[in-house]
Short mmCIF file of all heavy atoms in Angstrom, two decimals:
data_model
loop_
_atom_site.label_atom_id
_atom_site.label_comp_id
_atom_site.label_asym_id
_atom_site.label_seq_id
_atom_site.Cartn_x
_atom_site.Cartn_y
_atom_site.Cartn_z
N VAL S 1 0.83 -1.20 0.00
CA VAL S 1 0.00 0.00 0.00
C VAL S 1 0.86 1.25 0.00
O VAL S 1 0.59 2.21 -0.74
CB VAL S 1 -0.96 0.00 1.21
CG1 VAL S 1 -1.63 1.36 1.38
CG2 VAL S 1 -2.01 -1.10 1.06
N VAL S 2 1.90 1.26 0.81
CA VAL S 2 2.79 2.43 0.87
C VAL S 2 3.47 2.66 -0.47
O VAL S 2 3.59 3.81 -0.94
CB VAL S 2 3.83 2.25 2.00
CG1 VAL S 2 4.97 3.26 1.86
CG2 VAL S 2 3.16 2.40 3.37
N GLY S 3 3.91 1.60 -1.12
CA GLY S 3 4.52 1.75 -2.44
C GLY S 3 3.56 2.28 -3.47
O GLY S 3 3.91 3.17 -4.27
N MET S 4 2.34 1.77 -3.46
CA MET S 4 1.33 2.26 -4.40
C MET S 4 0.94 3.70 -4.09
O MET S 4 0.69 4.50 -5.00
CB MET S 4 0.09 1.36 -4.34
CG MET S 4 0.32 -0.04 -4.89
SD MET S 4 -1.16 -1.07 -4.75
CE MET S 4 -2.26 -0.22 -5.87
N LEU S 5 0.89 4.06 -2.79
CA LEU S 5 0.57 5.43 -2.39
C LEU S 5 1.61 6.41 -2.93
O LEU S 5 1.27 7.46 -3.48
CB LEU S 5 0.49 5.50 -0.87
CG LEU S 5 0.27 6.89 -0.26
CD1 LEU S 5 -1.08 7.46 -0.68
CD2 LEU S 5 0.36 6.81 1.27
N ALA S 6 2.89 6.04 -2.80
CA ALA S 6 3.96 6.91 -3.31
C ALA S 6 3.85 7.07 -4.82
O ALA S 6 4.02 8.18 -5.37
CB ALA S 6 5.32 6.33 -2.94
N GLY S 7 3.52 5.98 -5.51
CA GLY S 7 3.37 6.06 -6.96
C GLY S 7 2.19 6.93 -7.36
O GLY S 7 2.28 7.72 -8.32
N ALA S 8 1.07 6.80 -6.65
CA ALA S 8 -0.11 7.62 -6.96
C ALA S 8 0.15 9.09 -6.69
O ALA S 8 -0.29 9.97 -7.45
CB ALA S 8 -1.30 7.13 -6.14
N MET S 9 0.88 9.40 -5.61
CA MET S 9 1.17 10.79 -5.29
C MET S 9 2.09 11.43 -6.32
O MET S 9 2.02 12.64 -6.57
CB MET S 9 1.77 10.89 -3.89
CG MET S 9 0.79 10.58 -2.77
SD MET S 9 1.51 10.73 -1.12
CE MET S 9 1.88 12.49 -1.08
N ALA S 10 2.94 10.62 -6.93
CA ALA S 10 3.83 11.14 -7.97
C ALA S 10 3.06 11.62 -9.19
O ALA S 10 3.56 12.43 -9.99
CB ALA S 10 4.85 10.08 -8.37
N GLU S 11 1.82 11.13 -9.34
CA GLU S 11 1.00 11.52 -10.48
C GLU S 11 0.10 12.73 -10.19
O GLU S 11 -0.58 13.22 -11.09
CB GLU S 11 0.11 10.33 -10.90
CG GLU S 11 0.89 9.09 -11.34
CD GLU S 11 1.76 9.39 -12.55
OE1 GLU S 11 1.28 10.06 -13.49
OE2 GLU S 11 2.93 8.96 -12.54
N LEU S 12 0.06 13.18 -8.95
CA LEU S 12 -0.79 14.33 -8.61
C LEU S 12 -0.27 15.60 -9.27
O LEU S 12 0.92 15.91 -9.22
CB LEU S 12 -0.83 14.53 -7.09
CG LEU S 12 -1.58 13.48 -6.26
CD1 LEU S 12 -1.40 13.77 -4.78
CD2 LEU S 12 -3.06 13.46 -6.63
N LYS S 13 -1.18 16.35 -9.86
CA LYS S 13 -0.81 17.63 -10.46
C LYS S 13 -1.33 18.75 -9.58
O LYS S 13 -2.54 18.86 -9.33
CB LYS S 13 -1.38 17.76 -11.87
CG LYS S 13 -0.98 19.06 -12.55
CD LYS S 13 -1.42 19.12 -14.00
CE LYS S 13 -0.96 20.44 -14.63
NZ LYS S 13 -1.39 20.55 -16.05
N VAL S 14 -0.43 19.57 -9.09
CA VAL S 14 -0.76 20.70 -8.22
C VAL S 14 -0.74 21.97 -9.05
O VAL S 14 0.22 22.22 -9.79
CB VAL S 14 0.24 20.81 -7.05
CG1 VAL S 14 -0.16 21.94 -6.11
CG2 VAL S 14 0.34 19.48 -6.30
N GLY S 15 -1.80 22.76 -8.95
CA GLY S 15 -1.84 23.99 -9.74
C GLY S 15 -3.17 24.70 -9.66
O GLY S 15 -3.90 24.59 -8.66
N ASP S 16 -3.49 25.41 -10.72
CA ASP S 16 -4.70 26.22 -10.81
C ASP S 16 -5.94 25.33 -10.74
O ASP S 16 -6.14 24.49 -11.62
CB ASP S 16 -4.68 27.00 -12.12
CG ASP S 16 -5.89 27.91 -12.30
OD1 ASP S 16 -6.79 27.90 -11.44
OD2 ASP S 16 -5.93 28.64 -13.31
N PRO S 17 -6.79 25.49 -9.72
CA PRO S 17 -7.99 24.64 -9.63
C PRO S 17 -9.00 24.89 -10.73
O PRO S 17 -9.93 24.10 -10.92
CB PRO S 17 -8.57 24.99 -8.25
CG PRO S 17 -8.04 26.35 -7.95
CD PRO S 17 -6.69 26.42 -8.59
N GLY S 18 -8.82 25.96 -11.48
CA GLY S 18 -9.70 26.23 -12.62
C GLY S 18 -9.40 25.35 -13.82
O GLY S 18 -10.20 25.29 -14.76
N GLN S 19 -8.28 24.65 -13.79
CA GLN S 19 -7.90 23.76 -14.88
C GLN S 19 -8.38 22.34 -14.58
O GLN S 19 -8.16 21.83 -13.49
CB GLN S 19 -6.39 23.76 -15.07
CG GLN S 19 -5.79 25.12 -15.39
CD GLN S 19 -6.25 25.63 -16.74
OE1 GLN S 19 -6.39 24.86 -17.71
NE2 GLN S 19 -6.50 26.93 -16.83
N LEU S 20 -9.02 21.70 -15.54
CA LEU S 20 -9.53 20.34 -15.34
C LEU S 20 -8.42 19.34 -15.05
O LEU S 20 -8.65 18.31 -14.42
CB LEU S 20 -10.33 19.89 -16.56
CG LEU S 20 -11.69 20.58 -16.78
CD1 LEU S 20 -12.31 20.11 -18.09
CD2 LEU S 20 -12.63 20.30 -15.62
N SER S 21 -7.22 19.63 -15.50
CA SER S 21 -6.10 18.70 -15.30
C SER S 21 -5.53 18.77 -13.89
O SER S 21 -4.72 17.92 -13.50
CB SER S 21 -5.00 19.00 -16.31
OG SER S 21 -4.55 20.35 -16.17
N THR S 22 -5.93 19.76 -13.11
CA THR S 22 -5.38 19.94 -11.76
C THR S 22 -6.04 18.99 -10.78
O THR S 22 -7.26 18.85 -10.75
CB THR S 22 -5.58 21.40 -11.29
OG1 THR S 22 -4.83 22.27 -12.14
CG2 THR S 22 -5.12 21.58 -9.86
N ASP S 23 -5.23 18.35 -9.95
CA ASP S 23 -5.73 17.47 -8.88
C ASP S 23 -5.81 18.19 -7.54
O ASP S 23 -6.74 17.96 -6.76
CB ASP S 23 -4.82 16.25 -8.73
CG ASP S 23 -4.76 15.41 -9.99
OD1 ASP S 23 -5.83 14.98 -10.45
OD2 ASP S 23 -3.65 15.17 -10.48
N VAL S 24 -4.83 19.05 -7.26
CA VAL S 24 -4.75 19.72 -5.96
C VAL S 24 -4.48 21.20 -6.18
O VAL S 24 -3.52 21.56 -6.87
CB VAL S 24 -3.62 19.11 -5.08
CG1 VAL S 24 -3.55 19.81 -3.73
CG2 VAL S 24 -3.83 17.61 -4.90
N GLY S 25 -5.31 22.04 -5.59
CA GLY S 25 -5.14 23.48 -5.71
C GLY S 25 -4.36 24.05 -4.55
O GLY S 25 -3.73 23.32 -3.77
N PRO S 26 -4.40 25.36 -4.37
CA PRO S 26 -3.65 26.00 -3.28
C PRO S 26 -4.37 25.85 -1.94
O PRO S 26 -5.55 25.49 -1.89
CB PRO S 26 -3.62 27.47 -3.70
CG PRO S 26 -4.90 27.65 -4.48
CD PRO S 26 -5.11 26.35 -5.22
N VAL S 27 -3.66 26.12 -0.86
CA VAL S 27 -4.30 26.24 0.45
C VAL S 27 -4.81 27.67 0.58
O VAL S 27 -4.48 28.55 -0.22
CB VAL S 27 -3.35 25.85 1.60
CG1 VAL S 27 -2.99 24.38 1.47
CG2 VAL S 27 -2.10 26.72 1.62
N ILE S 28 -5.63 27.93 1.58
CA ILE S 28 -6.46 29.13 1.61
C ILE S 28 -5.67 30.43 1.70
O ILE S 28 -6.00 31.41 1.05
CB ILE S 28 -7.50 29.05 2.76
CG1 ILE S 28 -8.44 30.25 2.74
CG2 ILE S 28 -6.82 28.89 4.10
CD1 ILE S 28 -9.31 30.36 1.53
N ASP S 29 -4.59 30.48 2.52
CA ASP S 29 -3.88 31.75 2.69
C ASP S 29 -2.48 31.50 3.26
O ASP S 29 -2.07 30.36 3.50
CB ASP S 29 -4.68 32.72 3.59
CG ASP S 29 -5.04 32.14 4.95
OD1 ASP S 29 -4.35 31.20 5.40
OD2 ASP S 29 -6.01 32.62 5.57
N ASP S 30 -1.77 32.60 3.49
CA ASP S 30 -0.39 32.51 3.98
C ASP S 30 -0.31 31.89 5.37
O ASP S 30 0.65 31.18 5.68
CB ASP S 30 0.25 33.90 3.98
CG ASP S 30 0.54 34.42 2.58
OD1 ASP S 30 0.83 33.59 1.70
OD2 ASP S 30 0.47 35.64 2.38
N ASP S 31 -1.30 32.18 6.21
CA ASP S 31 -1.29 31.60 7.56
C ASP S 31 -1.38 30.08 7.50
O ASP S 31 -0.67 29.38 8.23
CB ASP S 31 -2.46 32.16 8.38
CG ASP S 31 -2.27 33.62 8.75
OD1 ASP S 31 -1.13 34.09 8.70
OD2 ASP S 31 -3.28 34.29 9.07
N ALA S 32 -2.27 29.57 6.65
CA ALA S 32 -2.40 28.12 6.50
C ALA S 32 -1.11 27.52 5.94
O ALA S 32 -0.66 26.45 6.39
CB ALA S 32 -3.58 27.79 5.58
N LEU S 33 -0.51 28.17 4.97
CA LEU S 33 0.73 27.68 4.37
C LEU S 33 1.85 27.62 5.42
O LEU S 33 2.63 26.66 5.45
CB LEU S 33 1.13 28.59 3.21
CG LEU S 33 2.40 28.20 2.45
CD1 LEU S 33 2.27 26.80 1.84
CD2 LEU S 33 2.69 29.23 1.35
N LYS S 34 1.90 28.61 6.28
CA LYS S 34 2.93 28.65 7.33
C LYS S 34 2.78 27.47 8.29
O LYS S 34 3.76 26.81 8.65
CB LYS S 34 2.84 29.98 8.09
CG LYS S 34 3.87 30.16 9.20
CD LYS S 34 3.76 31.56 9.79
CE LYS S 34 4.82 31.79 10.88
NZ LYS S 34 4.57 30.99 12.09
#
């Protein structure tokens, strides 16, 4: 499971949530990021 999880995470695309190809968008603000 851990090996498959690492492989699946390698395929995640982080970026603009307005794009259909994006899997993960930004967090809400600078405080959350910190």
Side-chain angles (χ1 to χ4, degrees):
V1 169
V2 165
M4 291 178 66
L5 175 63
M9 291 181 65
E11 298 299 316
L12 289 174
K13 182 174 181 181
V14 183
D16 181 356
Q19 300 294 322
L20 290 175
S21 58
T22 296
D23 299 304
V24 181
V27 296
I28 184 65
D29 55 23
D30 289 328
D31 289 340
L33 181 60
K34 180 175 182 291

